[in-house]
């Protein structure tokens, strides 16, 4: 299952926001909460965390690209087993 990495909601809509650098590379395994990409608001940088565990499969924005709240920065493929629990119905009576 693919999960997007999104630009989080900011307090101010009028701030210019850009991608500073990627902290992980495509193909690397990530854990939910890992710092994945650094964004820049003039004078301040902040990190965007992985929304789930899995493999970073795409970095859709390059350093210097301007982004906005809700923009897709990249994608993580997470194992289906993390998303749904397997239940053995034969054990239920």
């Amino acid at each position: 299952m693919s999960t997007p990495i999104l630009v989080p909601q900011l307090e101010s809509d009028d701030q210019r926001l850009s991608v500073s650098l990627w902290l992980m590379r495509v193909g690397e395994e990530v854990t939910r909460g890992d710092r994945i990409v650094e964004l820049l608001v003039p004078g301040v940088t902040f990190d965007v965390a992985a929304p789930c565990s899995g493999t970073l499969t795409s970095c859709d924005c390059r350093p210097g690209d301007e982004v906005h709240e809700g923009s897709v920065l990249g994608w993580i493929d997470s194992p289906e087993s993390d998303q749904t629990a397997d239940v053995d119905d034969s054990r239920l009576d």
Side-chain angles (χ1 to χ4, degrees):
M1 178 173 173
S2 291
T3 302
I5 303 163
L6 302 173
V7 174
Q9 199 170 35
L10 304 173
E11 293 180 18
S12 176
D13 293 332
D14 60 348
Q15 293 183 6
R16 180 177 161 87
L17 182 64
S18 62
V19 175
S20 177
L21 64 99
W22 283 90
L23 303 168
M24 306 292 278
R25 293 193 172 141
V26 170
E28 286 189 282
E29 294 293 317
V30 299
T31 301
R32 182 182 182 157
D34 282 352
R35 300 172 346 167
I36 287 216
V37 60
E38 183 180 88
L39 300 181
L40 175 67
V41 175
V44 178
T45 60
F46 66 95
D47 297 331
V48 175
C52 63
S53 297
T55 303
L56 182 62
T57 57
S58 173
C59 299
D60 293 355
C61 300
R62 297 179 183 192
D65 286 354
E66 188 171 330
V67 294
H68 306 280
E69 287 182 16
S71 295
V72 175
L73 298 168
W75 293 87
I76 297 172
D77 275 352
S78 56
E80 297 245 334
S81 60
D82 284 354
Q83 303 300 319
T84 58
D86 294 333
V87 175
D88 183 357
D89 291 333
S90 65
R91 294 188 205 174
L92 301 175
D93 290 82

